[in-house]
Amino acid sequence: MREAIRLASESVKNGGGPFGVVIVKDGKIIAGRSNSVTIDNDPTAHAEVNTIREACRLLGTFDLSGCTIYTSCEPCPMCLGSIYWARISRIFYGNTRKDAREINFADDFIYEELERPLYARTVPIMPLLREEALSSFRLWQTKTDKTEY
């Protein structure tokens, strides 16, 4: 966790956001990155996502089962989703999402949005062309040489 916190502080000094992450496997740090949203002009370049991408590249897999993630702040919904998709086994965090809200990061707002029904969200979300879209799902379902994930 101290390395994640160090990466967060270093990120602030280098123009990034105050977030740092390390992923550990078998007691060794596999990857460590910080937030680079403003540096890369990429709203998805959160520390967790950057670190997951690095760990997957270094390990040659999209499955990080058996790994632990240490993040300097409670993950936002996007990052939490990424952690689950990567199958990371445990999450440790420092700051809470309420702490992030106090310094004007919107993580808590997104959690609140997710609790609202689709029709009541700030950004409208509506289904469109479902029957056409199902064609790719049917194709996936019948494909015999797919890589499951």
Side-chain angles (χ1 to χ4, degrees):
M1 179 59 81
R2 286 187 178 99
E3 178 61 8
I5 294 167
R6 186 193 71 73
L7 287 168
S9 295
E10 185 179 299
S11 179
V12 172
K13 293 173 189 170
N14 293 327
F19 306 98
V21 171
V22 295
I23 293 177
V24 173
K25 184 169 186 168
D26 300 325
K28 291 181 2 187
I29 292 177
I30 301 301
R33 298 286 304 274
S34 59
N35 176 289
S36 61
V37 169
T38 57
I39 294 167
D40 296 337
N41 292 318
D42 179 352
T44 69
H46 289 203
E48 293 89 344
V49 173
N50 288 342
T51 308
I52 289 168
R53 288 174 179 161
E54 180 182 21
C56 289
R57 184 180 55 78
L58 292 171
L59 295 175
T61 182
F62 55 82
D63 186 342
L64 299 178
S65 297
C67 291
T68 300
I69 192 166
Y70 295 84
T71 175
S72 65
C73 185
E74 183 178 355
C76 75
M78 176 185 71
C79 293
L80 188 59
S82 297
I83 290 166
Y84 277 96
W85 280 116
R87 297 184 181 95
I88 291 173
S89 300
R90 292 192 311 170
I91 306 166
F92 291 97
Y93 66 91
N95 297 310
T96 68
R97 68 189 205 218
K98 307 266 188 258
D99 297 329
R101 181 178 59 202
E102 288 177 14
I103 62 167
N104 297 319
F105 283 91
D107 305 30
D108 210 36
F109 164 74
I110 298 169
Y111 275 104
E112 291 165 3
E113 277 286 291
L114 292 173
E115 292 176 7
R116 293 180 178 166
L118 295 179
Y119 67 85
R121 293 189 183 169
T122 303
V123 176
I125 179 168
M126 299 154 283
L128 182 64
L129 299 176
R130 179 172 177 259
E131 286 304 314
E132 285 184 44
L134 282 171
S135 65
S136 59
F137 277 19
R138 289 184 190 107
L139 184 62
W140 171 260
Q141 195 171 25
T142 60
K143 187 172 175 58
T144 58
D145 61 342
K146 62 188 168 207
T147 302
E148 298 276 353
Y149 64 97

